[in-house]
């Protein structure tokens, strides 16, 4: 199936701006774009969607989101997660990393399994490995030092999805955790951290 989307306000990345143009979609994938009138550039059999004066932009990417429509990813069922996924898409977010806050380890691992089952693109673990002094809304009793055995469990449960961790790298075990996570293909960010400037610079040098 071919679909031609026409509009007066299509975003072109190379120009960092909007102008009249068109997008050709074949079987759900973008196969062509162009500026101006598309009549001579696309197959006559393409269905046409006229976007008029609406803004046509790439799907948004959200890498830090704990939930919406009354549900939290740490506790939601697969069906509730799929309802959230549809809700995000209706607001233009087509790629997201459901984010898990600090919780008991088994609960977090169970949530990663449900996130995989719900069909998301990746998982953001923002919890457990945080500074007590900068924990924010995370409960003290749910915090833990970075642990390589726990990292292995998380990566096993996350499987082929994108894995992203937020942690306080100055904690004991932080450097080893970051190095092991990034070596496994995950990414790591400094957050809820009480690191000094020197500790933060050092963390960037080994993978944060």
């Amino acid at each position: 199936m071919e679909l031609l989307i026409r509009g007066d306000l299509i975003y072109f990345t190379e120009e960092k701006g909007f102008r009249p143009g068109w997008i050709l979609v074949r079987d759900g994938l973008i196969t062509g774009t162009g500026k101006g009138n598309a009549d001579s550039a696309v197959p006559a059999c393409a269905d046409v969607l006229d976007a008029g004066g609406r803004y046509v932009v790439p799907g948004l990417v959200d890498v830090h989101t704990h939930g919406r429509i009354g549900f939290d990813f740490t506790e939601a069922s697969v069906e509730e997660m799929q309802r959230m996924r549809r809700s995000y898409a209706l607001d233009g977010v087509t790629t997201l990393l459901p984010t898990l806050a600090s919780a008991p380890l088994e609960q977090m691992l169970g949530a990663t399994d449900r996130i995989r089952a719900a069909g998301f693109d990746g998982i953001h673990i923002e919890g457990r490995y945080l500074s007590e002094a900068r924990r924010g809304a995370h409960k003290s009793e749910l915090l833990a030092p970075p642990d390589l055995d726990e990292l292995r469990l998380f990566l096993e449960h996350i499987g082929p999805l994108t894995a992203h961790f937020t942690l306080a790298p100055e904690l004991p075990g932080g450097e080893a955790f970051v190095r092991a996570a990034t070596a496994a293909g995950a990414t790591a960010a400094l957050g809820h951290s009480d690191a000094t400037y020197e500790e933060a610079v050092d963390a960037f040098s080994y993978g944060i």
Side-chain angles (χ1 to χ4, degrees):
M1 175 182 173
E2 291 176 319
L3 174 67
L4 176 68
I5 303 171
R6 282 192 181 128
D8 298 321
L9 294 168
I10 291 181
Y11 185 81
F12 287 91
T13 302
E14 66 275 13
E15 297 180 7
K16 298 182 180 179
F18 295 89
R19 62 177 299 171
W22 53 271
I23 301 170
L24 182 64
V25 179
R26 180 176 290 115
D27 296 328
L29 297 176
I30 294 175
T31 58
T33 62
K35 303 174 182 69
N37 191 297
D39 288 340
S40 61
V42 298
C45 60
D47 291 331
V48 178
L49 173 63
D50 188 351
R54 298 181 181 91
Y55 290 99
V56 181
V57 299
L60 302 175
V61 178
D62 193 339
V63 299
H64 188 165
T65 178
H66 291 281
R68 64 186 294 151
I69 61 171
F71 303 119
D72 185 285
F73 284 113
T74 305
E75 300 175 346
S77 67
V78 172
E79 189 274 335
E80 290 167 341
M81 289 184 183
Q82 290 172 335
R83 287 171 60 187
M84 283 193 274
R85 190 179 181 199
R86 287 190 292 272
S87 177
Y88 281 102
L90 288 171
D91 283 330
V93 179
T94 57
T95 302
L96 65 143
L97 302 187
T99 305
L100 302 181
S102 299
L105 179 61
E106 288 304 317
Q107 182 179 351
M108 296 181 76
L109 293 174
T112 64
D113 293 337
R114 295 192 297 278
I115 290 167
R116 281 184 63 182
F120 287 97
D121 306 282
I123 299 175
H124 178 176
I125 305 295
E126 186 217 16
R128 290 183 66 75
Y129 316 122
L130 311 178
S131 167
E132 167 67 29
R134 306 294 180 186
R135 61 185 175 82
H138 298 255
K139 294 181 179 179
S140 295
E141 62 268 25
L142 297 175
L143 303 183
D147 182 277
L148 293 181
D149 288 334
E150 292 189 8
L151 171 63
R152 176 181 53 79
L153 285 172
F154 273 122
L155 293 176
E156 287 176 358
H157 282 258
I158 293 171
L161 303 186
T162 295
H164 180 68
F165 295 87
T166 291
L167 71 153
E170 76 278 5
L171 295 174
E175 179 176 348
F177 187 101
V178 171
R179 289 185 182 278
T182 54
T187 53
L190 184 152
H192 291 276
S193 168
D194 199 38
T196 64
Y197 174 80
E198 290 75 15
E199 288 171 330
V201 171
D202 192 37
F204 285 117
S205 74
Y206 59 71
I208 282 287

